[in-house]
Amino acid sequence: MAVARGVRERETAPRWRGRETGVALIFLAPALLGFIAFYAWPTVRGVYLSFTDYDLLTAPDFSGLDNYRRLLTDDVFWNSLWVTLKYVVLNIGVQTVVALALAVLLHRLTRSTVIRGLILLPYLISNVVVALVWYWMADYNLGIINQMLGWVGIDAIGFFGDEAWAIPTIAGINVWRHMGYTALLIFAGLQTINRDVYEAAAVDGAGEFRIFFRITLPLLRPVLALVLVLTVIGSWQIFDTVAVTTQGGPVDATRVIQYYIFDQAFTRFDFGYASAISVVLFLILAGVAFAQLKLLRAGESDQS
């Protein structure tokens, strides 16, 4: 009887596995179709167009590596890379420090869901709305920020009209919007750290700063690696704030690479060249993400 039961189980197992696979494919189909339609196919199409001369009105004309050769001598392209890099360094540097401080304060001082919601609130507002509100607030003539500076005897600042202030201002706006979300990601990582480690360190007489640098930061490394990869990739793709406020000015001081791609594609209708820039940006982001994961040892954890 046991032998017969075993034979029947072996015969029915493949049927059940086949049914489970079919059900799994049904559930995966919408996401898979969306990925193919909105990610995979546009990526393949963009790579193909990068080797063509295409203006949307006529059929793509294969031009080989001409678009990539053009990149090498395009001063505006290299300037857009430099401007984007400055923005990324400012945005990531400030955002990470502020978000880490907020996360540690939330973890050590309060567990209030109301406070977490308030911190996350700016992230729930549309990028365009945030950019417009800050653009009005920082207006040179009528903005409340310059009026407040005038009350304390400081001359008005052209936050969006001055080359030296434009990128730091845009970076500050995006730090304000994203720091709450980044802080909650780090806060989630802090909750995975065993509290016994902190109690043992406190018994040994370690102070807050020593605990932070010797325990919290090392144990947070995998989470920080993930957060940095996400925020760096997002920062390299900055577009909407620039489009709403400065449109790349003044004098290309805020012409980030995403806005340059948009300008080439939808203003000059040079889709082939815009696709080539997009491919280069994709390669940059892939290289940066890979380097971050390796350097930060994202797959390793100091927690036992």
Side-chain angles (χ1 to χ4, degrees):
M1 294 295 292
V3 174
R5 189 183 302 112
V7 171
R8 287 197 299 270
E9 289 177 354
R10 286 195 296 271
E11 291 177 349
T12 57
R15 299 177 186 175
W16 281 110
R17 292 195 188 98
R19 292 176 184 176
E20 290 175 355
T21 302
V23 172
L25 289 176
I26 291 173
F27 280 103
L28 289 173
L32 182 60
L33 290 174
F35 174 79
I36 293 173
F38 298 107
Y39 289 94
W41 170 245
T43 300
V44 173
R45 176 73 171 170
V47 172
Y48 164 70
L49 291 178
S50 71
F51 296 101
T52 66
D53 183 9
Y54 182 47
D55 61 3
L56 194 62
L57 301 177
T58 59
D61 181 22
F62 187 77
S63 59
L65 297 174
D66 288 352
N67 289 322
Y68 293 97
R69 294 192 190 97
R70 179 180 167 188
L71 281 174
L72 298 176
T73 57
D74 186 353
D75 292 337
V76 180
F77 166 74
W78 292 107
N79 178 73
S80 70
L81 275 181
W82 172 242
V83 170
T84 307
L85 181 60
K86 288 193 296 184
Y87 167 80
V88 169
V89 171
L90 280 173
N91 182 53
I92 296 303
V94 177
Q95 183 184 152
T96 303
V97 172
V98 173
L100 183 59
L102 282 174
V104 171
L105 289 175
L106 284 174
H107 187 249
R108 301 302 296 271
L109 300 180
T110 180
R111 298 296 178 90
S112 171
T113 55
V114 175
I115 294 177
R116 295 181 206 170
L118 291 174
I119 290 176
L120 187 62
L121 185 61
Y123 182 75
L124 303 179
I125 305 173
S126 166
N127 263 342
V128 173
V129 173
V130 170
L132 281 173
V133 170
W134 280 98
Y135 185 64
W136 294 331
M137 291 173 60
D139 183 79
Y140 184 82
N141 295 310
L142 302 175
I144 184 64
I145 296 177
N146 274 316
Q147 290 187 21
M148 294 173 66
L149 291 176
W151 296 341
V152 295
I154 300 176
D155 294 335
I157 298 173
F159 289 102
F160 295 102
D162 190 311
E163 294 181 43
W165 280 96
I167 280 294
T169 301
I170 292 172
I173 292 172
N174 285 285
V175 166
W176 178 84
R177 182 179 183 270
H178 291 91
M179 64 181 181
Y181 175 72
T182 306
L184 286 183
L185 290 178
I186 299 173
F187 176 76
L190 287 171
Q191 290 186 307
T192 65
I193 300 176
N194 194 331
R195 298 192 68 86
D196 292 342
V197 179
Y198 291 113
E199 293 174 1
V203 169
D204 289 340
E208 289 292 334
F209 285 99
R210 189 172 183 181
I211 290 175
F212 177 76
F213 287 105
R214 294 294 182 90
I215 297 176
T216 302
L217 278 183
L219 296 182
L220 266 182
R221 187 180 63 247
V223 175
L224 285 176
L226 172 64
V227 168
L228 284 173
V229 169
L230 293 176
T231 53
V232 167
I233 291 176
S235 296
W236 272 93
Q237 299 179 77
I238 174 69
F239 170 77
D240 35 23
T241 308
V242 173
V244 169
T245 57
T246 62
Q247 293 82 48
V251 197
D252 290 339
T254 60
R255 188 176 293 275
V256 292
I257 191 167
Q258 282 279 18
Y259 191 82
Y260 188 46
I261 293 171
F262 168 82
D263 181 57
Q264 290 293 324
F266 297 102
T267 302
R268 306 175 190 275
F269 296 100
D270 194 348
F271 284 88
Y273 188 53
S275 298
I277 302 174
S278 300
V279 170
V280 171
L281 177 60
F282 171 78
L283 295 175
I284 291 173
L285 292 180
V288 169
F290 179 79
Q292 283 181 290
L293 292 174
K294 286 295 183 182
L295 292 175
L296 295 173
R297 294 178 294 152
E300 303 175 16
S301 176
D302 293 332
Q303 297 193 60
S304 57

